[in-house]
Amino acid sequence: MTMLLENIKLAFTSLLANKMRALLTMLGIIIGIASVIAIMTVGDSLIIYISEEMNSMGANNIMVSLQPRTDDDNFFSTMMSAATMDQEISEDDMITIEMLEELNNQHKDEIKAITIYDYQGSGQVSKVKDYANVSVYGVSAGYFASQELDYVAGRLFNAHDFDEARPVAIVSTVVVDNLFEGDAEKAVGSQIEAFVNGKYSEYTIVGVYDYMVQNMATMMMSAYEISTEMLIPYKTSVNQTHNTDISNLYVVAKTGVDSDLLAKKIERFFEGYYRDNKDYKVVAYNMQSMVEMVGNMIGVVTTAISIVAAIALIVGGIGVMNIMLVSITERTREIGTRKALGATNSSIRTQFIVEAIIICLIGGTIGVIVGILGGECAAMILGYPATPSISGIIISLIFSMITGVFFGYYPANKAAKMNPIDALRYE
Amino acid sequence: MEDTIIKLENIVKKFYIGKPNELEILHGISLEVKKGEFVSIVGPSGSGKSTLMNLIGVLDRPTEGSYVLDGIDVSKAQDKELSAIRNKKIGFVFQTYNLISRTNALKNVELPMLYAGVPAEERHKRAKELLELVEMSDRAKHLPEELSGGQKQRVAIARAMANNPAILLADEPTGALDSQTGRLVMDLFHKLNKEKGITIVLITHSMELAEETGRIITIKDGNITSQAEGGKA
């Protein structure tokens, strides 16, 4: 034990004697570990963030969307096609209200609500001379079952609002801040004017929800720059846009219903309509399986980068081995002296292996710190909270220690086997 | 005899055994050194002096013959046993001091005790005492590079004494020093020999230094050619 402590102290003194060399030697290890940690931090944070996001949407939510028929059947192509769909889909291919009514009838016991929404576009709402940026969504009754928004004032839309297509709106606290000096109570019942897609429309505010800052980018924006969601009843929206086509919707499963199974049933249901459609099909994902899919994707990326990092670590390890061989040659006389003073082969070997481990561990620790900082920066830029990967940190440190033992053994053994007479005579 | 500390019998040392260039350096040397003696081994370079020193210091094993050091037959010992014998029975003093450059004088003196497994506190205490003995207490925290040649050699002698060895084996200890500091080092050896009764084997090529010792062993071409009484000791 004292021997080990002495060896550790010794390793530090010999590293301090050659700071620049030690740092350069560590560089490979630092880069290897830092990249693993950074990627794992980004990956883990992303998974946690997405899980939370999706859970806030509700674990019982099933996302149903129209998707071009491709062989590539995964979540990302769904997202991609959903983003680009508006122009491409002809009216004949669209999901219709009738289909949804039929779906609701067939699975009455499992479906709590069906949400359709109509994205009108972005624009501004204004009152006298103040304004706020908004994205206007027409939503159906089921929306409030699928989204967990934090309401601070007023009410939700009621049946009359939906059925009669009343000009009412639910706005965010950002709008209230800009237009009503933050007084939500005053905002409720007030008239505002929205300018979207080149048209002016008047709305009465009935409810206010709390807008939560999403990411770094919006945190730095002024209240006038942020665009928040403004909700209006679905029919109100359709009356303006005359767009009755549906390409995306949410189905909310009743509590206790297996939403995975329901998603499959929904797909089967729509297959009845789309069996003969060569271009499109309807896919349904429940949020849980989406989270899993994202997790798998990130897992693949993490593994790939970890392999690259492992290669960097091996290269770093060879660097350590190289410098240890140089160091041992330089210290041949010291080794000879130690042997003359009674050091056994194994104590010499331990001394140099410990030195190699210390190099790798310091490199690994610096790498972990650099990696966490890098990961946090990346997460900040991407706009979600960073969560350093604890398992990643532990694995990295263990791995760098193993690197030290592995690449330190050969030089250390070479030192241990030196003939003391030759070593003492070495110039 | 009980007070015999080194007993070499018919020591033969060959190199490159079984190869065409096989070389016999020592041709059957027999030698005894008694406890408390101060002997010197002299001889020209190439005489086998260094080889003999390596054998006495158990850095090497003889090809033939037996070597009993302080009652232990070391001629057949394994590497690990040789390390332990070097650690406990022999104190080396080198021409070039061979202090560990990155650690201070005190740590250098502690080193043999570290390998012997002496607890830290005891190690520390003994190292301080030894530095006092060689009058280097005030330089305990200095690194070797901050010490003069004579001071380094005194630290090296303190280190050699660390584990109470059976013999001090000094290889040209004044070879790298000027005559004045060399004198101080030799005086220290005499003091240790007289006051502490330490057995000292001095290897040198200087007859002048050898004259100071109790017995001069002359070696030439791998044989002991003469053993004579020295002057002072």
CSV table of all heavy atoms in Angstrom, one decimal, chain A residues 35-79:
chain,number,residue,atom,x,y,z
A,35,SER,N,-14.4,13.1,-27.0
A,35,SER,CA,-15.4,12.9,-28.0
A,35,SER,C,-16.5,11.9,-27.6
A,35,SER,O,-17.7,12.1,-27.8
A,35,SER,CB,-14.8,12.4,-29.3
A,35,SER,OG,-13.9,11.4,-29.1
A,36,VAL,N,-16.1,10.8,-26.9
A,36,VAL,CA,-17.1,9.9,-26.4
A,36,VAL,C,-18.0,10.6,-25.4
A,36,VAL,O,-19.3,10.5,-25.5
A,36,VAL,CB,-16.4,8.7,-25.6
A,36,VAL,CG1,-17.5,7.8,-25.0
A,36,VAL,CG2,-15.5,7.9,-26.5
A,37,ILE,N,-17.5,11.3,-24.5
A,37,ILE,CA,-18.3,12.0,-23.4
A,37,ILE,C,-19.2,13.0,-24.1
A,37,ILE,O,-20.4,13.1,-23.7
A,37,ILE,CB,-17.4,12.6,-22.3
A,37,ILE,CG1,-16.7,11.5,-21.6
A,37,ILE,CG2,-18.3,13.5,-21.4
A,37,ILE,CD1,-17.5,10.7,-20.7
A,38,ALA,N,-18.7,13.8,-25.0
A,38,ALA,CA,-19.5,14.8,-25.6
A,38,ALA,C,-20.7,14.2,-26.4
A,38,ALA,O,-21.8,14.6,-26.2
A,38,ALA,CB,-18.7,15.6,-26.6
A,39,ILE,N,-20.4,13.1,-27.1
A,39,ILE,CA,-21.4,12.5,-27.9
A,39,ILE,C,-22.5,11.9,-27.0
A,39,ILE,O,-23.7,12.0,-27.2
A,39,ILE,CB,-20.8,11.4,-28.9
A,39,ILE,CG1,-20.0,12.1,-29.9
A,39,ILE,CG2,-21.9,10.6,-29.5
A,39,ILE,CD1,-20.7,13.1,-30.8
A,40,MET,N,-21.9,11.2,-25.9
A,40,MET,CA,-22.9,10.6,-25.0
A,40,MET,C,-23.7,11.6,-24.3
A,40,MET,O,-24.9,11.3,-24.0
A,40,MET,CB,-22.1,9.7,-24.0
A,40,MET,CG,-21.6,8.4,-24.6
A,40,MET,SD,-20.8,7.4,-23.4
A,40,MET,CE,-22.1,6.1,-23.2
A,41,THR,N,-23.1,12.7,-23.9
A,41,THR,CA,-23.9,13.8,-23.2
A,41,THR,C,-25.0,14.3,-24.2
A,41,THR,O,-26.2,14.4,-23.8
A,41,THR,CB,-23.0,14.9,-22.9
A,41,THR,OG1,-21.9,14.4,-22.0
A,41,THR,CG2,-23.7,16.0,-22.1
A,42,VAL,N,-24.6,14.6,-25.4
A,42,VAL,CA,-25.6,15.0,-26.4
A,42,VAL,C,-26.7,14.0,-26.6
A,42,VAL,O,-27.9,14.2,-26.5
A,42,VAL,CB,-24.9,15.4,-27.7
A,42,VAL,CG1,-26.0,15.6,-28.8
A,42,VAL,CG2,-24.1,16.6,-27.6
A,43,GLY,N,-26.2,12.7,-26.8
A,43,GLY,CA,-27.2,11.6,-27.0
A,43,GLY,C,-28.1,11.4,-25.8
A,43,GLY,O,-29.4,11.4,-26.0
A,44,ASP,N,-27.6,11.3,-24.6
A,44,ASP,CA,-28.4,11.1,-23.5
A,44,ASP,C,-29.4,12.2,-23.2
A,44,ASP,O,-30.5,12.0,-22.9
A,44,ASP,CB,-27.5,10.9,-22.2
A,44,ASP,CG,-27.0,9.5,-22.1
A,44,ASP,OD1,-27.0,8.8,-23.1
A,44,ASP,OD2,-26.5,9.1,-21.0
A,45,SER,N,-28.8,13.4,-23.4
A,45,SER,CA,-29.7,14.6,-23.1
A,45,SER,C,-30.8,14.6,-24.1
A,45,SER,O,-32.0,14.9,-23.8
A,45,SER,CB,-28.9,15.9,-23.3
A,45,SER,OG,-27.7,15.8,-22.6
A,46,LEU,N,-30.5,14.3,-25.4
A,46,LEU,CA,-31.5,14.3,-26.4
A,46,LEU,C,-32.6,13.3,-26.1
A,46,LEU,O,-33.8,13.5,-26.2
A,46,LEU,CB,-30.8,13.9,-27.8
A,46,LEU,CG,-31.6,14.3,-29.0
A,46,LEU,CD1,-31.9,15.8,-29.0
A,46,LEU,CD2,-30.8,13.9,-30.3
A,47,ILE,N,-32.2,12.1,-25.7
A,47,ILE,CA,-33.1,11.0,-25.3
A,47,ILE,C,-34.0,11.5,-24.2
A,47,ILE,O,-35.3,11.4,-24.3
A,47,ILE,CB,-32.4,9.7,-25.0
A,47,ILE,CG1,-31.8,9.1,-26.2
A,47,ILE,CG2,-33.4,8.7,-24.4
A,47,ILE,CD1,-30.9,7.9,-26.0
A,48,ILE,N,-33.4,12.0,-23.2
A,48,ILE,CA,-34.2,12.5,-22.0
A,48,ILE,C,-35.1,13.6,-22.4
A,48,ILE,O,-36.3,13.6,-22.1
A,48,ILE,CB,-33.2,13.0,-20.9
A,48,ILE,CG1,-32.5,11.8,-20.3
A,48,ILE,CG2,-34.0,13.7,-19.8
A,48,ILE,CD1,-31.4,12.1,-19.4
A,49,TYR,N,-34.6,14.5,-23.2
A,49,TYR,CA,-35.4,15.7,-23.7
A,49,TYR,C,-36.6,15.2,-24.5
A,49,TYR,O,-37.7,15.6,-24.2
A,49,TYR,CB,-34.5,16.6,-24.5
A,49,TYR,CG,-35.3,17.8,-25.1
A,49,TYR,CD1,-35.8,18.8,-24.4
A,49,TYR,CD2,-35.5,17.8,-26.5
A,49,TYR,CE1,-36.5,19.8,-25.0
A,49,TYR,CE2,-36.2,18.8,-27.1
A,49,TYR,CZ,-36.7,19.8,-26.3
A,49,TYR,OH,-37.4,20.8,-26.9
A,50,ILE,N,-36.3,14.4,-25.4
A,50,ILE,CA,-37.4,13.9,-26.3
A,50,ILE,C,-38.4,13.1,-25.5
A,50,ILE,O,-39.6,13.3,-25.7
A,50,ILE,CB,-36.8,13.0,-27.5
A,50,ILE,CG1,-36.1,14.0,-28.4
A,50,ILE,CG2,-37.9,12.3,-28.2
A,50,ILE,CD1,-35.4,13.3,-29.6
A,51,SER,N,-37.9,12.3,-24.6
A,51,SER,CA,-38.9,11.5,-23.8
A,51,SER,C,-39.8,12.4,-23.0
A,51,SER,O,-41.0,12.2,-22.9
A,51,SER,CB,-38.1,10.6,-22.8
A,51,SER,OG,-37.1,9.9,-23.4
A,52,GLU,N,-39.2,13.5,-22.4
A,52,GLU,CA,-40.0,14.4,-21.6
A,52,GLU,C,-41.0,15.1,-22.5
A,52,GLU,O,-42.2,15.2,-22.1
A,52,GLU,CB,-39.1,15.4,-20.9
A,52,GLU,CG,-38.5,14.8,-19.6
A,52,GLU,CD,-37.4,15.7,-19.0
A,52,GLU,OE1,-37.2,16.8,-19.5
A,52,GLU,OE2,-36.9,15.3,-18.0
A,53,GLU,N,-40.5,15.6,-23.6
A,53,GLU,CA,-41.3,16.2,-24.6
A,53,GLU,C,-42.5,15.4,-25.0
A,53,GLU,O,-43.7,15.8,-24.9
A,53,GLU,CB,-40.6,16.5,-25.9
A,53,GLU,CG,-39.9,17.9,-26.0
A,53,GLU,CD,-40.8,19.1,-25.8
A,53,GLU,OE1,-41.4,19.5,-26.7
A,53,GLU,OE2,-40.8,19.5,-24.6
A,54,MET,N,-42.2,14.1,-25.3
A,54,MET,CA,-43.3,13.2,-25.8
A,54,MET,C,-44.2,12.8,-24.7
A,54,MET,O,-45.4,12.6,-24.9
A,54,MET,CB,-42.6,12.0,-26.5
A,54,MET,CG,-42.0,12.5,-27.8
A,54,MET,SD,-41.5,11.1,-28.8
A,54,MET,CE,-41.1,12.1,-30.3
A,55,ASN,N,-43.6,12.7,-23.5
A,55,ASN,CA,-44.4,12.3,-22.3
A,55,ASN,C,-45.4,13.5,-22.0
A,55,ASN,O,-46.5,13.2,-21.6
A,55,ASN,CB,-43.6,12.0,-21.1
A,55,ASN,CG,-43.0,10.6,-21.2
A,55,ASN,OD1,-43.5,9.8,-22.0
A,55,ASN,ND2,-42.0,10.3,-20.5
A,56,SER,N,-44.9,14.7,-22.2
A,56,SER,CA,-45.8,15.8,-22.0
A,56,SER,C,-46.9,15.9,-23.0
A,56,SER,O,-48.0,16.4,-22.7
A,56,SER,CB,-45.0,17.1,-22.0
A,56,SER,OG,-44.8,17.5,-23.3
A,57,MET,N,-46.7,15.3,-24.1
A,57,MET,CA,-47.7,15.2,-25.1
A,57,MET,C,-48.7,14.1,-24.7
A,57,MET,O,-49.8,14.0,-25.2
A,57,MET,CB,-47.2,14.8,-26.5
A,57,MET,CG,-46.5,15.9,-27.2
A,57,MET,SD,-46.0,15.3,-28.8
A,57,MET,CE,-45.1,16.7,-29.4
A,58,GLY,N,-48.2,13.3,-23.8
A,58,GLY,CA,-49.1,12.2,-23.3
A,58,GLY,C,-48.7,10.9,-23.9
A,58,GLY,O,-48.5,10.7,-25.1
A,59,ALA,N,-48.4,10.0,-23.0
A,59,ALA,CA,-48.0,8.6,-23.4
A,59,ALA,C,-49.1,7.9,-24.1
A,59,ALA,O,-48.8,6.9,-24.9
A,59,ALA,CB,-47.5,7.8,-22.2
A,60,ASN,N,-50.3,8.3,-23.9
A,60,ASN,CA,-51.5,7.6,-24.6
A,60,ASN,C,-51.7,8.2,-26.0
A,60,ASN,O,-52.7,7.7,-26.6
A,60,ASN,CB,-52.7,7.8,-23.7
A,60,ASN,CG,-52.6,7.0,-22.4
A,60,ASN,OD1,-51.9,6.0,-22.4
A,60,ASN,ND2,-53.4,7.4,-21.4
A,61,ASN,N,-50.9,9.2,-26.4
A,61,ASN,CA,-51.2,9.8,-27.7
A,61,ASN,C,-50.6,8.9,-28.8
A,61,ASN,O,-49.5,8.3,-28.7
A,61,ASN,CB,-50.5,11.1,-27.8
A,61,ASN,CG,-51.3,12.2,-27.1
A,61,ASN,OD1,-52.2,11.8,-26.3
A,61,ASN,ND2,-50.9,13.4,-27.2
A,62,ILE,N,-51.4,8.8,-29.9
A,62,ILE,CA,-51.0,8.1,-31.0
A,62,ILE,C,-51.0,9.1,-32.2
A,62,ILE,O,-52.0,9.8,-32.4
A,62,ILE,CB,-51.9,6.9,-31.4
A,62,ILE,CG1,-51.8,5.9,-30.2
A,62,ILE,CG2,-51.5,6.3,-32.7
A,62,ILE,CD1,-53.0,4.9,-30.2
A,63,MET,N,-49.8,9.2,-32.8
A,63,MET,CA,-49.7,10.1,-33.9
A,63,MET,C,-50.1,9.4,-35.2
A,63,MET,O,-49.5,8.3,-35.5
A,63,MET,CB,-48.3,10.6,-34.0
A,63,MET,CG,-48.1,11.8,-34.9
A,63,MET,SD,-46.4,12.3,-34.9
A,63,MET,CE,-46.0,12.1,-36.7
A,64,VAL,N,-51.0,9.9,-35.9
A,64,VAL,CA,-51.5,9.2,-37.2
A,64,VAL,C,-51.1,10.2,-38.3
A,64,VAL,O,-51.4,11.4,-38.2
A,64,VAL,CB,-53.0,9.0,-37.1
A,64,VAL,CG1,-53.4,8.3,-38.4
A,64,VAL,CG2,-53.3,8.1,-35.9
A,65,SER,N,-50.4,9.7,-39.3
A,65,SER,CA,-50.1,10.6,-40.4
A,65,SER,C,-50.1,9.9,-41.7
A,65,SER,O,-49.8,8.7,-41.8
A,65,SER,CB,-48.8,11.3,-40.2
A,65,SER,OG,-47.8,10.4,-40.1
A,66,LEU,N,-50.4,10.7,-42.7
A,66,LEU,CA,-50.4,10.2,-44.1
A,66,LEU,C,-48.9,10.2,-44.6
A,66,LEU,O,-48.2,11.2,-44.3
A,66,LEU,CB,-51.2,11.2,-44.9
A,66,LEU,CG,-51.7,10.7,-46.3
A,66,LEU,CD1,-52.6,9.4,-46.1
A,66,LEU,CD2,-52.5,11.8,-46.9
A,67,GLN,N,-48.5,9.1,-45.2
A,67,GLN,CA,-47.1,9.0,-45.5
A,67,GLN,C,-46.9,8.4,-46.9
A,67,GLN,O,-47.7,7.4,-47.2
A,67,GLN,CB,-46.4,8.2,-44.5
A,67,GLN,CG,-44.9,8.2,-44.6
A,67,GLN,CD,-44.3,7.2,-43.6
A,67,GLN,OE1,-44.7,7.1,-42.5
A,67,GLN,NE2,-43.4,6.4,-44.1
A,68,PRO,N,-46.0,8.9,-47.7
A,68,PRO,CA,-45.8,8.3,-49.0
A,68,PRO,C,-45.4,6.8,-48.8
A,68,PRO,O,-44.7,6.5,-47.9
A,68,PRO,CB,-44.7,9.1,-49.7
A,68,PRO,CG,-44.7,10.4,-48.9
A,68,PRO,CD,-45.2,10.0,-47.5
A,69,ARG,N,-45.8,6.0,-49.7
A,69,ARG,CA,-45.4,4.6,-49.6
A,69,ARG,C,-43.9,4.4,-50.0
A,69,ARG,O,-43.6,4.7,-51.1
A,69,ARG,CB,-46.2,3.7,-50.5
A,69,ARG,CG,-47.6,3.3,-50.0
A,69,ARG,CD,-48.2,2.3,-50.8
A,69,ARG,NE,-49.7,2.2,-50.4
A,69,ARG,CZ,-50.1,1.4,-49.4
A,69,ARG,NH1,-49.2,0.7,-48.7
A,69,ARG,NH2,-51.4,1.4,-49.2
A,70,THR,N,-43.1,4.1,-49.0
A,70,THR,CA,-41.7,3.8,-49.3
A,70,THR,C,-41.3,2.6,-48.6
A,70,THR,O,-42.0,2.1,-47.7
A,70,THR,CB,-40.8,5.0,-48.9
A,70,THR,OG1,-41.0,5.2,-47.5
A,70,THR,CG2,-41.0,6.3,-49.6
A,71,ASP,N,-40.1,2.1,-48.9
A,71,ASP,CA,-39.6,0.9,-48.2
A,71,ASP,C,-39.1,1.3,-46.8
A,71,ASP,O,-39.0,0.5,-45.9
A,71,ASP,CB,-38.5,0.2,-48.9
A,71,ASP,CG,-39.1,-0.2,-50.3
A,71,ASP,OD1,-40.3,-0.5,-50.4
A,71,ASP,OD2,-38.3,-0.3,-51.3
A,72,ASP,N,-38.8,2.6,-46.8
A,72,ASP,CA,-38.1,3.1,-45.6
A,72,ASP,C,-39.1,3.4,-44.5
A,72,ASP,O,-39.6,4.5,-44.4
A,72,ASP,CB,-37.3,4.4,-46.0
A,72,ASP,CG,-36.4,4.8,-44.9
A,72,ASP,OD1,-36.1,4.0,-44.0
A,72,ASP,OD2,-35.9,6.0,-45.0
A,73,ASP,N,-39.4,2.5,-43.7
A,73,ASP,CA,-40.5,2.6,-42.8
A,73,ASP,C,-40.0,3.0,-41.4
A,73,ASP,O,-39.9,2.1,-40.5
A,73,ASP,CB,-41.3,1.3,-42.8
A,73,ASP,CG,-42.6,1.4,-41.9
A,73,ASP,OD1,-43.0,2.5,-41.7
A,73,ASP,OD2,-43.1,0.3,-41.5
A,74,ASN,N,-39.7,4.2,-41.2
A,74,ASN,CA,-39.4,4.6,-39.8
A,74,ASN,C,-39.9,6.0,-39.4
A,74,ASN,O,-40.4,6.7,-40.3
A,74,ASN,CB,-37.9,4.4,-39.5
A,74,ASN,CG,-37.1,5.5,-40.3
A,74,ASN,OD1,-37.5,6.6,-40.5
A,74,ASN,ND2,-35.9,5.1,-40.8
A,75,PHE,N,-39.7,6.3,-38.2
A,75,PHE,CA,-40.2,7.5,-37.6
A,75,PHE,C,-39.7,8.8,-38.4
A,75,PHE,O,-40.4,9.7,-38.6
A,75,PHE,CB,-39.8,7.6,-36.2
A,75,PHE,CG,-40.0,8.9,-35.5
A,75,PHE,CD1,-41.2,9.4,-35.4
A,75,PHE,CD2,-38.9,9.5,-35.0
A,75,PHE,CE1,-41.4,10.7,-34.8
A,75,PHE,CE2,-39.0,10.7,-34.3
A,75,PHE,CZ,-40.3,11.3,-34.2
A,76,PHE,N,-38.4,8.7,-38.8
A,76,PHE,CA,-37.8,9.9,-39.3
A,76,PHE,C,-38.4,10.2,-40.7
A,76,PHE,O,-38.6,11.4,-41.0
A,76,PHE,CB,-36.3,9.8,-39.4
A,76,PHE,CG,-35.7,10.1,-38.0
A,76,PHE,CD1,-35.4,9.0,-37.2
A,76,PHE,CD2,-35.5,11.4,-37.6
A,76,PHE,CE1,-34.9,9.3,-35.9
A,76,PHE,CE2,-35.0,11.6,-36.3
A,76,PHE,CZ,-34.7,10.6,-35.5
A,77,SER,N,-38.6,9.2,-41.5
A,77,SER,CA,-39.2,9.5,-42.8
A,77,SER,C,-40.6,10.0,-42.7
A,77,SER,O,-41.1,10.8,-43.5
A,77,SER,CB,-39.1,8.2,-43.7
A,77,SER,OG,-39.7,7.1,-43.1
A,78,THR,N,-41.3,9.5,-41.6
A,78,THR,CA,-42.6,10.0,-41.3
A,78,THR,C,-42.5,11.5,-41.0
A,78,THR,O,-43.3,12.3,-41.6
A,78,THR,CB,-43.2,9.3,-40.1
A,78,THR,OG1,-43.0,8.0,-40.2
A,78,THR,CG2,-44.7,9.7,-39.9
A,79,MET,N,-41.6,11.9,-40.2
A,79,MET,CA,-41.4,13.3,-39.8
A,79,MET,C,-41.1,14.1,-41.0
A,79,MET,O,-41.6,15.2,-41.3
A,79,MET,CB,-40.3,13.4,-38.8
A,79,MET,CG,-40.6,12.8,-37.4
A,79,MET,SD,-42.1,13.5,-36.7
A,79,MET,CE,-41.3,14.6,-35.6
